[in-house]
């Protein structure tokens, strides 16, 4: 009788545990395109943009994100095991990548200037930075 109760408890606990595991694995993650759109909508809402400005901002913000992603990932960081020549190439690649990002930021600053005030643009950058910090903290917590 004791063994039957133990077996029953084991089956119940495994069933309960597997239910929570499957619920976690079924949790869908947003694609980066969806995340960019959610971010843009959040920024537009925070800034109380009207419908036309909001729509234009969302489209522009999402296009900016696609252009950034098209650059690819950041070149690798130089390390102590690299030769001087390899380190120089890695540093120059990072500088070139940073310059491309800066060029895109300047391009989209000009586009934002067509329909946002300078203070609004500043606020967009501030809200974007805060969101990236939150996402970074969240990802660090889940990767521990």
């Amino acid at each position: 009788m004791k063994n039957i109760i133990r077996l029953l408890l084991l089956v119940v606990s495994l069933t309960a545990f597997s239910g929570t595991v499957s619920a976690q694995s079924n949790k869908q993650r947003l694609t980066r395109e969806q995340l960019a759109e959610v971010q843009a909508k959040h920024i537009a809402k925070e800034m109380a943009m009207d419908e036309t400005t909001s729509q234009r901002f969302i489209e522009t913000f999402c296009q900016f994100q696609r252009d950034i992603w098209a650059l690819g990932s950041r070149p690798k960081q130089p390390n102590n095991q690299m030769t001087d020549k390899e380190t120089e190439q890695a540093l120059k690649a990072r500088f070139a990548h940073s310059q491309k990002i800066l060029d895109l930021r300047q391009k989209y600053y000009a586009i934002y200037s067509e329909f946002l005030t300078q203070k609004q643009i500043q606020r967009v950058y501030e809200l974007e930075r805060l969101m990236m910090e939150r996402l970074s903290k969240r990802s660090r917590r889940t990767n521990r």
Side-chain angles (χ1 to χ4, degrees):
M1 186 67 177
K2 256 186 176 177
N3 286 337
I4 294 174
I5 293 174
R6 284 183 183 167
L7 182 60
L8 185 60
L9 284 174
L10 178 65
V11 169
V12 168
S13 64
L14 285 176
T15 305
F17 178 71
S18 67
T20 59
V21 169
S22 67
Q24 289 175 352
S25 63
N26 288 338
K27 182 179 174 185
Q28 290 192 351
R29 296 185 67 170
L30 295 175
T31 64
R32 61 185 183 181
E33 288 82 7
Q34 291 169 327
L35 179 61
E37 189 171 340
V38 167
Q39 288 175 319
K41 286 179 179 177
H42 173 75
I43 291 171
K45 183 180 176 191
E46 278 288 315
M47 295 179 56
M49 293 180 184
D50 63 52
E51 187 61 36
T52 340
T53 307
S54 177
Q55 191 57 39
R56 186 160 181 206
F57 172 75
I58 291 168
E59 290 170 7
T60 306
F61 184 88
C62 290
Q63 184 57 50
F64 171 65
Q65 292 300 315
R66 285 190 290 273
D67 288 351
I68 290 287
W69 298 327
L71 294 178
S73 60
R74 176 177 279 184
K76 65 180 179 179
Q77 183 80 14
N79 61 42
N80 292 337
Q81 298 170 349
M82 295 177 138
T83 65
D84 279 348
K85 187 73 172 171
E86 291 170 332
T87 302
E88 178 185 14
Q89 289 174 341
L91 287 171
K92 286 183 178 181
R94 287 179 66 85
F95 291 148
H97 191 265
S98 295
Q99 185 62 51
K100 289 176 187 173
I101 291 172
L102 178 60
D103 292 343
L104 280 175
R105 288 180 60 90
Q106 289 176 334
K107 172 186 171 184
Y108 281 91
Y109 165 75
I111 294 171
Y112 287 147
S113 294
E114 294 172 6
F115 61 96
L116 296 174
T117 67
Q118 297 304 301
K119 288 187 178 191
Q120 286 176 317
I121 295 170
Q122 176 62 37
R123 183 73 176 138
V124 165
Y125 291 153
E126 182 182 325
L127 290 170
E128 183 181 11
R129 181 183 54 78
L130 290 172
M131 277 191 290
M132 295 310 289
E133 286 175 3
R134 264 188 257 130
L135 288 172
S136 176
K137 284 179 185 176
R138 185 181 300 164
S139 104
R140 275 185 263 145
R141 277 194 308 243
T142 58
N143 289 338
R144 286 183 188 179

